[in-house]
Amino acid sequence: MNITVKSLRSLRCLSSRQGGAMNVFDRSMKRKQKQWASSLLDSDKYDYLRDEAGSRVADRVYDVSRTFPLALDVGCGKSHIAEHLTVGTFFTTSLFRNRRKCEIPSHCVLADEEFLPFKENTFDLVLSSMSLHWINDLPGALRQIYQVLKPDGVFIGAMVGGETLYELRCSLQLAELEREGGFAPHISPYTAVTDLGNLLGQAGFNMLTVDIDEVQVNYPGMLEVMSDLQGMGESNCAWNRKSLLHRDTILAAAAIYKEMYGNEDSSVPATFQILYMIGWKPHESQAKPAKRGSANVSFADLSKISLTF
């Protein structure tokens, strides 16, 4: 097997020449947040959301009736997908080494999700779970995934959607308006499901599937929600984030959160909208739609069809 890993420096230079990419997130800060979270002695207790999303991505892989000799997991984290899979050879990319042991043979490449260091037409399957929502240039990242796939290869991914943590977002905004006379963004912007299909299509994928899951987790209070987000390494890293929340504002937001969204048992819910996507790299063997006007049955005749059971 011959896997070519490109120079990361050349990839960054290429990206800078292309230009036009948005710069919403401080990627250096996100790396520090994830490294800090992974260093916690009890870091595994914050993996519940990634484990759930990873298992659901693996379920979608098993829905595809073929084998994958060579697969790639972009932004693998602690191998939340790999532990559920049986594929050929598995490559992963990560900002740092912090993987769990898994049964399939795997090779970790230290690389940023925004710069995939592999040559074109390499992998039969590319996966990603819960990492693409921190990408500055999501269209560019999807194009790179498309390029490293072999023809008739498939990309299956999951990312956080736009309605995630709406309870926390609304509570913080209302509290800041009340206490400080204005509000700043404390929840990172996420991709809307209405945009995801267009982004996949623009990257070159066909036979697209996009669906949504909502995972609701109950916590004792808002402070526990924020603590778990920090333990996951999912704190806000947008450049325009506000660096300080006043104590009065936090207490007011916690009260608003419980009043507006609280459960009968005094717990509060936090909603995570997970967007799942499947896209195929075109190949001549794939099914194609019939030519326009080639149908030999009219929809008007459907009512005339008699069904026998």
Side-chain angles (χ1 to χ4, degrees):
M1 187 191 323
N2 183 17
I3 300 297
T4 301
V5 179
K6 297 179 182 177
S7 165
L8 187 58
R9 180 180 177 184
S10 65
L11 282 167
R12 291 187 185 275
C13 292
L14 176 61
S15 177
S16 63
R17 289 198 300 269
Q18 289 174 341
M22 296 181 66
N23 189 17
V24 179
F25 303 115
D26 182 348
R27 294 285 295 173
S28 176
M29 175 59 70
K30 179 48 59 181
R31 184 180 294 106
K32 291 176 182 177
Q33 290 174 353
K34 289 189 175 183
Q35 286 178 327
W36 178 86
S38 68
S39 70
L40 297 174
L41 295 177
D42 57 350
S43 63
D44 286 348
K45 82 174 189 178
Y46 300 108
D47 289 337
Y48 51 88
L49 189 62
R50 287 195 179 92
D51 286 341
E52 181 64 24
S55 69
R56 296 188 186 189
V57 169
D59 286 343
R60 286 161 171 79
V61 175
Y62 286 120
D63 288 339
V64 181
S65 56
R66 66 166 63 180
T67 57
F68 300 101
L70 195 59
L72 170 67
D73 183 357
V74 177
C76 67
K78 295 181 181 178
S79 303
H80 303 282
I81 304 176
E83 63 185 4
H84 301 286
L85 289 180
T86 53
V87 297
T89 302
F90 204 67
F91 277 76
T92 63
T93 68
S94 180
L95 295 174
F96 50 90
R97 298 187 187 276
N98 188 33
R99 298 178 302 152
R100 298 171 183 160
K101 291 183 179 180
C102 54
E103 295 181 0
I104 60 177
S106 61
H107 310 274
C108 182
V109 177
L110 295 181
D112 194 311
E113 297 97 327
E114 293 187 336
F115 306 100
L116 297 183
F118 303 100
K119 70 176 185 179
E120 296 184 13
N121 304 322
T122 298
F123 296 99
D124 306 283
L125 168 69
V126 176
L127 305 169
S128 181
S129 180
M130 302 296 285
S131 68
L132 292 180
H133 57 281
W134 294 117
I135 295 292
N136 276 310
D137 183 12
L138 183 56
L142 292 175
R143 284 194 296 270
Q144 290 185 58
I145 290 172
Y146 175 86
Q147 289 168 357
V148 301
L149 274 172
K150 294 177 182 177
D152 202 31
V154 60
F155 167 55
I156 303 177
M159 64 184 295
V160 172
E163 296 302 314
T164 294
L165 296 174
Y166 70 86
E167 305 97 339
L168 180 60
R169 180 186 294 111
C170 291
S171 300
L172 288 171
Q173 288 177 355
L174 291 173
E176 277 194 306
L177 280 171
E178 176 191 345
R179 298 303 171 99
E180 302 177 32
F183 65 86
H186 294 284
I187 308 298
S188 294
Y190 299 122
T191 303
V193 64
T194 52
D195 297 329
L196 191 53
N198 291 333
L199 291 173
L200 289 167
Q202 290 170 10
F205 292 101
N206 64 5
M207 298 192 294
L208 306 178
T209 303
V210 177
D211 60 291
I212 307 173
D213 272 350
E214 283 196 353
V215 178
Q216 194 170 84
V217 183
N218 292 319
Y219 297 88
M222 189 195 79
L223 297 180
E224 286 76 13
V225 177
M226 298 174 70
S227 175
D228 270 29
L229 290 174
Q230 190 176 27
M232 296 176 190
E234 292 293 321
S235 299
N236 189 2
C237 71
W239 286 108
N240 65 345
R241 67 190 182 276
K242 188 176 180 180
S243 59
L244 177 66
L245 262 177
H246 296 291
R247 181 174 182 273
D248 287 348
T249 303
I250 293 176
L251 294 177
I256 292 171
Y257 201 130
K258 185 155 289 190
E259 177 65 25
M260 291 182 62
Y261 305 107
N263 299 316
E264 292 182 357
D265 61 358
S266 296
S267 65
V268 297
T271 301
F272 299 89
Q273 184 186 62
I274 313 297
L275 310 182
Y276 295 92
M277 67 203 91
I278 301 175
W280 293 79
K281 190 168 183 176
H283 187 263
E284 59 183 10
S285 65
Q286 294 172 352
K288 296 178 178 61
K291 293 182 178 179
R292 187 179 179 87
S294 62
N296 52 24
V297 177
S298 171
F299 278 109
D301 297 330
L302 291 178
S303 61
K304 302 175 184 179
I305 298 176
S306 59
L307 299 178
T308 303
F309 295 95

